Amino acid sequence: MTATQASSATGKARGARGPDHPHYKWVALSNTTLGTLIATVNSSIVLISLPAIFNGIKLDPLQPSNVSYLLWMLMGYMLVTAVFVVALGRLGDMYGRVKIYNSGFVVFTICSVALSLDPFHGATGALWLIGWRVFQAIGGAMLMANSAAIITDAFPAAQRGMALGINIVAAIAGSFIGLVLGGALSEWNWRAVFWVNVPIGLIGTVWAYKSLHDTGLRQKSRIDWWGNATFAFGLTALLAGITYGIQPYGGHTQGWTNPWVDAGLIGGLALLIIFCVIEAKISDPMLPMTLFKNRAFATGNLANLLGAIARGGLQFMLIIWLQGIWLPLHGYDYKDTPLWAGIYMIPLTLGFLAAGPIAGHLSDKFGPRVFAAGGLLAMAVSFAGLLLIPTDFSYWIFALLIFLNGVGGGLFSAPNTSLIMSSVPGRMRGAASGARATFMNAGMVLSMGIFFSLMVAGLSSSLPHTLSTGLAAQGVPAGTATQISHLPPVATLFAAFLGYNPMQQLLGSSTLHALPASNAQTLTGREFFPHLISGPFHDGLMVVFWLAIVMAVIGAVASALPGKLQAPQDEAAADQSAAATA
């Protein structure tokens, strides 16, 4: 009995449609899209809800000692997902993609319950959330690593681009849907940010167990322990070094001179080089290096990485721009800015949802390269447009530009995934899907390190003088104004990112009481701080968006390069040959 026949028999025993049923592929698509959506929503739902979460556990995010908690709440989930997706994709190739995928739903749901029940406050409460987010990320990695491979197994090559388009657009749109959902739920109760996952996770778990079947070829092999270890420790050290490089160190505005940061970066790169050497020499590698000999696979993943960095940087910059500057200047209270920032970014999500499935369908007919390259070029044009508008912009222009960016992302993502997944033989789809997810998640983590560092560098040149002169103009004593102006720019950046007005905390009640009432009211009002940082912020924004333009253009060139794809008949022959060998 073949794997497909056995799976079909199991499906009949469960009362579900087997993999040979004409509707099975749509069941596989809908369930894996739900799993991918819930995994990616969680990468951003916490992002927008951090003010409510920190207030809920009674932790001041602007205290220098608490910056590391904030960073790990932001980046820990994405870092762990990036580390584990390749290994879990490979385990799916070996032991069954559906089995690993179903386990991911269970782990994800259990961790969501634990997160919502955080019994502690302060630093202990933050560590509880960070720890359970790490375990939740493992469940998310199980879902993300195998969803694209399950879809690729279920759909014929002629419909694969459309199916992957729906799945991938759901994944990327999930990161933006999380912004709106997190803003709305955090207005009610911060624990609801985690509770919302529980019913979805329970439904998805039961549905996946009853309806999904392993139809792909399993490749029996040994676990690559050395490859897994060097990859996990290497990528963790590298991304953790980037994370701590954002923080001030030894009187410097950033931590790139910190010996531990340098050790993490150098040691992480060294371990990743060792990982590549190991994978090239052993018989059962976690990530077969031969995949990268295929130009389509290599250039597709390069474009995927660059696109993820540019897209992640845009997300963070827009949140800072809206929550810290634009919304307060237009009359919104700071406590309401997370919700409204998510609402005003809806055009970005609509662009993804509109373009993604269409691009996937058209890429099946006309090939994926032109759409992948065109999507990144559209993103580059939108970045250029955002450079040209003022900090206090007209919303309709802003909405059009971020909609164009969303359309570009939708045009790119589905064809890019189809390009990557169609360039590998069926027996390696789990590893290929894991590699694709790793590049995407690593790009999101890298984007925060790169763009925050560039923004801090841009702020460092103009923010101290702007702070000092702005405070002095309101009668703040010169010594106090100078002291505040020398605070690390990252603290100001995080204040804007979280939608905080830090003036009252920075000046203190004694300084404010000594000033005229009108001056004190101006300093603590909703417009003074946004006006103060808007100029320096725009200086940093110029550097950030120029780099995003360069990355998008390079990614477009990489997407357009020719490379060999698996033709349907070649793919079938390769899979039959592998099955006969097994």
Side-chain angles (χ1 to χ4, degrees), residues 157 566-576:
Q566 292 278 319
Q569 61 272 20
D570 295 339
E571 186 178 304
D575 287 353
Q576 289 171 5

Side-chain angles (χ1 to χ4, degrees), residues 449-467:
I450 293 170
F451 287 112
F452 264 99
S453 297
L454 290 173
M455 180 59 74
V456 168
L459 289 173
S460 299
S461 61
S462 54
L463 183 62
H465 175 72
T466 304
L467 275 174

Side-chain angles (χ1 to χ4, degrees), residues 113-170:
V113 174
L115 283 162
S116 65
L117 298 177
D118 186 353
F120 304 110
H121 294 108
T124 307
L127 289 173
W128 174 281
L129 294 177
I130 291 168
W132 281 107
R133 284 277 286 173
V134 165
F135 286 111
Q136 188 184 49
I138 296 174
M142 291 178 177
L143 296 172
M144 294 179 68
N146 292 282
S147 60
I150 291 171
I151 291 172
T152 307
D153 289 337
F155 278 82
Q159 294 180 314
R160 194 170 294 155
M162 175 274 300
L164 289 169
I166 294 172
N167 185 262
I168 299 306
V169 168

Side-chain angles (χ1 to χ4, degrees), residues 91-110:
L91 287 176
D93 287 340
M94 295 165 58
Y95 300 110
R97 292 155 192 166
V98 169
K99 185 182 296 184
I100 302 297
Y101 177 87
N102 291 351
S103 301
F105 254 129
V106 175
V107 172
F108 197 93
T109 306
I110 292 172

Side-chain angles (χ1 to χ4, degrees), residues 218-234:
R218 295 188 193 179
Q219 186 175 7
K220 289 189 176 182
S221 55
R222 291 173 295 182
I223 295 177
D224 175 16
W225 295 110
W226 284 109
N228 278 278
T230 52
F231 181 80
F233 285 111

Side-chain angles (χ1 to χ4, degrees), residues 90-464:
R90 185 65 175 144
L91 287 176
D93 287 340
M94 295 165 58
Y95 300 110
R97 292 155 192 166
V98 169
K99 185 182 296 184
I100 302 297
Y101 177 87
N102 291 351
S103 301
F105 254 129
V106 175
V107 172
F108 197 93
T109 306
I110 292 172
C111 292
S112 296
V113 174
L115 283 162
S116 65
L117 298 177
D118 186 353
F120 304 110
H121 294 108
T124 307
L127 289 173
W128 174 281
L129 294 177
I130 291 168
W132 281 107
R133 284 277 286 173
V134 165
F135 286 111
Q136 188 184 49
I138 296 174
M142 291 178 177
L143 296 172
M144 294 179 68
N146 292 282
S147 60
I150 291 171
I151 291 172
T152 307
D153 289 337
F155 278 82
Q159 294 180 314
R160 194 170 294 155
M162 175 274 300
L164 289 169
I166 294 172
N167 185 262
I168 299 306
V169 168
I172 299 175
S175 64
F176 295 107
I177 292 170
L179 298 177
V180 181
L181 190 61
L185 292 174
S186 62
E187 284 281 299
W188 173 46
N189 189 305
W190 70 269
R191 295 181 189 273
V193 171
F194 303 111
W195 269 118
V196 72
N197 298 321
V198 177
I200 300 173
L202 289 173
I203 293 169
T205 300
V206 175
W207 184 19
Y209 174 76
K210 285 184 170 294
S211 63
L212 295 183
H213 317 287
D214 268 310
T215 60
L217 292 170
R218 295 188 193 179
Q219 186 175 7
K220 289 189 176 182
S221 55
R222 291 173 295 182
I223 295 177
D224 175 16
W225 295 110
W226 284 109
N228 278 278
T230 52
F231 181 80
F233 285 111
L235 191 58
T236 300
L238 179 64
L239 297 180
I242 292 171
T243 302
Y244 283 103
I246 301 171
Q247 300 184 49
Y249 174 78
H252 299 282
T253 57
Q254 300 185 61
W256 301 113
T257 57
N258 186 336
W260 287 107
V261 170
D262 295 338
L265 296 176
I266 297 170
L269 284 173
L271 284 173
L272 290 177
I273 292 171
I274 294 172
F275 164 75
C276 293
V277 173
I278 291 172
E279 299 302 279
K281 292 188 175 182
I282 65 173
S283 58
D284 295 319
M286 179 183 85
L287 178 61
M289 290 292 107
T290 53
L291 291 177
F292 291 94
K293 293 181 179 179
N294 184 317
R295 184 186 292 175
F297 182 84
T299 57
N301 276 298
L302 174 62
N304 180 30
L305 175 66
L306 295 174
I309 294 174
R311 188 171 57 248
L314 173 75
Q315 189 180 71
F316 297 126
M317 293 306 111
L318 292 187
I319 291 173
I320 294 171
W321 201 345
L322 289 170
Q323 289 190 188
I325 298 175
W326 194 84
L327 287 169
L329 288 178
H330 287 256
Y332 293 85
D333 290 331
Y334 277 93
K335 64 182 179 64
D336 297 328
T337 56
L339 171 61
W340 285 100
I343 291 172
Y344 279 119
M345 288 174 65
I346 285 177
L348 187 63
T349 306
L350 293 178
F352 268 105
L353 296 176
I358 296 173
H361 176 69
L362 292 177
S363 70
D364 288 334
K365 291 186 175 181
F366 304 107
R369 289 188 178 86
V370 64
F371 295 99
L376 287 178
L377 290 177
M379 289 176 65
V381 171
S382 70
F383 287 129
L386 290 168
L387 278 175
L388 298 175
I389 63 175
T391 309
D392 189 10
F393 49 78
S394 173
Y395 178 70
W396 71 270
I397 298 176
F398 177 82
L400 284 175
L401 288 171
I402 64 174
F403 179 79
L404 175 62
N405 191 281
V407 169
L411 288 174
F412 165 75
S413 300
N416 173 259
T417 303
S418 179
L419 187 70
I420 292 170
M421 296 302 296
S422 297
S423 65
V424 301
R427 65 187 183 279
M428 293 185 178
R429 283 176 189 152
S433 179
R436 182 198 61 80
T438 292
F439 281 108
M440 185 175 73
N441 284 284
M444 295 293 287
V445 179
L446 286 169
S447 71
M448 183 176 285
I450 293 170
F451 287 112
F452 264 99
S453 297
L454 290 173
M455 180 59 74
V456 168
L459 289 173
S460 299
S461 61
S462 54
L463 183 62

